[in-house]
Amino acid sequence: RHVADFQLSIASVIENSSSDCLAQDLHLQAQHLAERLKCDSVVSEISAGPGTVNFTINRELLAKTVLQQVWKDGSEYGVKSELFSTVPRQKAVIEFSSPNIAKKFHIGHLRSTIVGNFIANLKVALGHEVVRINYLGDWGMQFGLLGVGFQSFGSKEKLKSSPLQHLFEVYVQINKAAEDENTKKLAKDFFRKLEEHDEQTLSIWKQFRDLSIEEYIRIYKRLGVHFDEYSGESFYQEKAQEVLKMLEDKGLLQKTIKGTGIVDVSEKKDLSTVSTVMRSDGTSLYITRQASPSVDLAAAIDRMNKHSWDTMIYVTDKSQSNHFQHLFQILKLMGYDWAERCQHVSFGLVQGMKTRRGEVLFLEDVLNEVCSRMLQNMTSTKTTKEIQDPVETAEKVGLAALIIQDFRGLLSSDYQFSWDRALQSRGDTGVFLQYTHARLHSLEQMHGNAELTDVNVACLQEPDAISILQHLLRYDEVLYKSSQDLQPKHIVSYLLTLSHLAAVAHKTLPVKGSASDVAQARLCLFHAARSVLANGMKLLGITPVTQM
């Protein structure tokens, strides 16, 4: 029995339908309403269900409308829907990834990178202007240590050839001596010189920063991610001092007995919640991000002046939720109404991501691991054809696996990472999405491209064809849902269902050996499914592969 295309819940249209309205009454009213409604050229059938009125659309019209729309809108299918017609085009600043120079690029940074990239892709697709900012941890006492470490253990060659790894190794080594009084003093001196803009010291620091960014750019490229701006805490040291002065002038800065600067962010102004913005020695705090509100305040104000954005989104793990609540609260107290338009998109923690060599230290480790594991899976599969660039394909498929495993649930939930589960070819995985895309692509290669002009839609009446058409019709709703709550899971489950439907239809609706108008119509249907699958995958940050 077929599934209706649209359903109206009777309870939603009856006045005073209180919860004690009996189910059988609702059913009766649904029947009465269904009997009074007439079919027309669009609606071919109206029936009553339990408390609902069900509408079936004229099957040929459904096929014709959906296929034409997908064909005509191409990569903009779903985005041009009237659901978005009232949404104003806006400018969004999105800050994501944000690793710390000379420290490890942990799984939290990876999550921030792929989530931020998804939000940026979605906003761009919906016609918004987006500025992607990578806010580096590029300042603070650790650079005093790093400078001293580099003088002792550094190598200019290694710094040029693999800066991230080399700086990390130097930092680990010097940290072993960090308790030594002499090292402490040297590190303090180095950092003081940095703060005083001593040319030689600054040029060493600048080299650390520039070479790190060059390498980051290369690795982000493998991930399919780019940034418009590499910013960092170093940009805002003077401005942070100005912010402290503004806080003081507005009477918001209070001193504790120890001399620490705090701002009262409590509702009742009873100091029940305070945010520390200044150490007792008068410097703004920048040991960790949580402890550097004045730098973040300066950055937020500066971005507003520079980009005059409509919304600013910070993508970090949920342990920083308090920090951002305080940040937005202080901005409001300072009189910046736009603090209302700042948003923190937080995500949960990932446990158990290890490579064969052990703990993940660098983003590159993850990419290499996913690539080598996928290659191994591909070579051990009998169906793997000779493909032009197996390594590149393995990387794209592997990344899809990582992203789908990450995006399947609510972003805020923690999850246990598993290579085996992520890289399965059957089931709800990124590998399955890639496999479906490649399969549909080779179907088109084999039978030539379908032309929409001469398609006989009467040939697409089988339930498996109708299921795909109905599903394609819903794509805009899913985009709308994700655009409202910025959760990728709606799109993920939509694409997984689409792939399952396409896999079934691939079996039951063969192109090969069918009469030519049937074959053409089916090709057209599969083309539409592949087109929407590819669009959705790209939004998630996945590059669809054409062979596997």
Side-chain angles (χ1 to χ4, degrees):
R1 165 132 179 77
H2 75 260
V3 186
D5 301 293
F6 296 97
Q7 201 172 53
L8 173 76
S9 153
I10 267 293
S12 66
V13 289
I14 295 176
E15 292 175 11
N16 71 27
S17 89
S18 55
S19 54
D20 54 357
C21 193
L22 291 173
Q24 61 215 58
D25 292 350
L26 284 179
H27 192 55
L28 271 172
Q29 284 182 296
Q31 276 174 326
H32 287 320
L33 183 55
E35 281 159 15
R36 283 161 55 205
L37 294 169
K38 300 270 181 289
C39 294
D40 58 14
S41 60
V42 176
V43 178
S44 62
E45 194 187 319
I46 302 170
S47 63
T52 59
V53 178
N54 304 326
F55 301 88
T56 302
I57 299 298
N58 172 330
R59 288 295 171 235
E60 291 187 20
L61 184 72
L62 174 73
K64 198 168 140 192
T65 312
V66 171
L67 294 178
Q68 269 179 346
Q69 204 67 48
V70 175
W71 204 270
K72 188 172 111 241
D73 292 348
S75 62
E76 292 186 317
Y77 176 69
V79 172
K80 288 185 154 180
S81 156
E82 63 267 28
L83 279 179
F84 297 105
S85 58
T86 57
V87 178
R89 301 280 173 265
Q90 291 188 322
K91 184 171 188 179
V93 165
I94 305 174
E95 182 206 285
F96 62 106
S97 197
S98 310
N100 299 307
I101 289 177
K103 295 191 176 173
K104 62 180 200 196
F105 191 108
H106 58 73
I107 185 72
H109 293 128
L110 174 61
R111 261 203 119 171
S112 171
T113 308
I114 60 180
V115 172
N117 187 46
F118 158 70
I119 295 172
N121 290 346
L122 182 62
K123 289 203 172 282
V124 167
L126 295 174
H128 303 295
E129 189 186 339
V130 171
V131 181
R132 302 162 185 247
I133 296 182
N134 198 338
Y135 184 74
L136 300 172
D138 63 358
W139 199 252
M141 228 11 240
Q142 81 245 34
F143 282 90
L145 268 176
L146 193 61
V148 174
F150 194 74
Q151 284 158 355
S152 323
F153 318 112
S155 137
K156 288 213 158 101
E157 285 69 50
K158 281 186 179 170
L159 182 65
K160 284 221 160 65
S161 63
S162 50
L164 300 179
Q165 196 167 346
H166 186 53
L167 288 175
F168 178 72
E169 284 162 3
V170 167
Y171 189 61
V172 169
Q173 263 182 298
I174 190 70
N175 249 318
K176 291 176 186 155
E179 290 310 302
D180 167 64
E181 286 308 313
N182 188 36
T183 307
K184 267 188 190 164
K185 186 183 165 308
L186 288 170
K188 261 201 166 121
D189 289 347
F190 188 95
F191 188 56
R192 198 193 68 247
K193 282 186 189 164
L194 257 190
E195 296 204 283
E196 289 164 0
H197 297 267
D198 169 70
E199 267 184 40
Q200 198 190 350
T201 319
L202 262 181
S203 87
I204 297 173
W205 168 84
K206 197 173 171 328
Q207 214 184 358
F208 291 166
R209 188 181 192 275
D210 293 349
L211 290 169
S212 292
I213 288 177
E214 257 175 55
E215 178 138 342
Y216 279 136
I217 289 174
R218 182 180 65 75
I219 298 165
Y220 284 133
K221 203 170 171 181
R222 280 179 71 180
L223 257 181
V225 172
H226 69 277
F227 291 91
D228 301 303
E229 205 175 289
Y230 280 84
S231 171
E233 299 174 10
S234 61
F235 285 57
Y236 298 110
Q237 296 315 309
E238 275 84 28
K239 288 187 170 134
Q241 295 303 321
E242 291 165 29
V243 166
L244 290 174
K245 193 169 177 340
M246 283 165 75
L247 287 169
E248 206 163 4
D249 295 346
K250 289 184 188 287
L252 294 167
L253 188 67
Q254 305 184 33
K255 293 269 171 69
T256 63
I257 301 159
K258 288 186 186 149
T260 318
I262 58 168
V263 175
D264 184 358
V265 287
S266 61
E267 294 262 317
K268 296 181 178 159
K269 297 281 158 271
D270 56 4
L271 292 174
S272 56
T273 324
V274 297
S275 179
T276 308
V277 290
M278 189 177 82
R279 283 203 297 236
S280 52
D281 60 4
T283 57
S284 59
L285 290 148
Y286 37 50
I287 314 145
T288 61
R289 175 152 205 177
Q290 274 96 319
S292 61
S294 53
V295 178
D296 270 346
L297 289 165
I301 296 166
D302 179 61
R303 286 174 197 168
M304 189 53 171
N305 295 338
K306 188 169 158 191
H307 297 294
S308 54
W309 43 263
D310 299 296
T311 170
M312 177 155 65
I313 298 169
Y314 296 86
V315 185
T316 73
D317 71 71
K318 59 186 179 188
S319 71
Q320 301 195 15
S321 295
N322 262 352
H323 168 75
F324 285 105
Q325 264 173 331
H326 289 179
L327 183 70
F328 304 157
Q329 193 61 33
I330 296 172
L331 286 167
K332 234 185 278 181
L333 291 170
M334 289 173 81
Y336 293 115
D337 300 338
W338 46 257
E340 299 279 350
R341 293 183 270 133
C342 293
Q343 190 181 357
H344 177 215
V345 173
S346 63
F347 51 82
L349 307 175
V350 183
Q351 274 102 17
M353 183 185 250
K354 290 221 181 344
T355 64
R356 293 198 174 103
R357 302 220 307 259
E359 191 199 2
V360 171
L361 297 177
F362 306 102
L363 175 56
E364 193 140 31
D365 297 339
V366 181
L367 297 178
N368 294 342
E369 181 83 9
V370 78
C371 188
S372 73
R373 281 178 186 258
M374 200 58 229
L375 255 182
Q376 203 179 0
N377 288 7
M378 277 161 54
T379 42
S380 66
T381 318
K382 300 197 179 48
T383 53
T384 302
K385 299 187 192 71
E386 286 300 307
I387 49 181
Q388 277 130 15
D389 194 340
V391 177
E392 200 182 319
T393 302
E395 181 141 307
K396 286 174 182 161
V397 176
L399 271 176
L402 271 187
I403 290 171
I404 295 299
Q405 166 140 301
D406 199 275
F407 284 1
R408 278 186 59 192
L410 268 174
L411 292 179
S412 56
S413 50
D414 306 338
Y415 73 92
Q416 193 66 36
F417 182 84
S418 147
W419 286 108
D420 292 340
R421 197 174 64 237
L423 297 173
Q424 272 171 2
S425 55
R426 305 234 175 282
D428 289 344
T429 64
V431 182
F432 174 59
L433 290 186
Q434 288 285 30
Y435 176 67
T436 306
H437 184 272
R439 212 166 150 196
L440 293 174
H441 184 267
S442 69
L443 190 69
E444 286 176 53
Q445 294 301 86
M446 250 160 45
H447 299 282
N449 290 337
E451 279 306 318
L452 188 67
T453 40
D454 51 359
V455 164
N456 177 2
V457 285
C459 298
L460 293 175
Q461 300 307 306
E462 297 87 352
D464 292 338
I466 300 292
S467 297
I468 291 180
L469 292 164
Q470 285 175 327
H471 197 62
L472 293 176
L473 192 59
R474 285 188 45 239
Y475 184 55
D476 60 343
E477 295 173 27
V478 177
L479 292 183
Y480 185 72
K481 217 169 171 176
S482 277
S483 74
Q484 292 301 99
D485 64 6
L486 302 183
Q487 295 283 342
K489 71 179 189 123
H490 312 302
I491 296 174
V492 171
S493 67
Y494 176 89
L495 296 179
L496 288 165
T497 303
L498 178 60
S499 296
H500 285 297
L501 293 173
V504 170
H506 192 270
K507 283 198 192 81
T508 62
L509 308 174
V511 174
K512 198 175 167 182
S514 300
S516 75
D517 58 343
V518 175
Q520 268 299 326
R522 286 175 181 175
L523 263 183
C524 229
L525 177 70
F526 287 126
H527 169 80
R530 183 183 72 83
S531 168
V532 174
L533 179 59
N535 292 348
M537 286 165 80
K538 287 175 194 161
L539 284 182
L540 298 174
I542 296 169
T543 307
V545 299
T546 51
Q547 10 170 239
M548 226 171 116

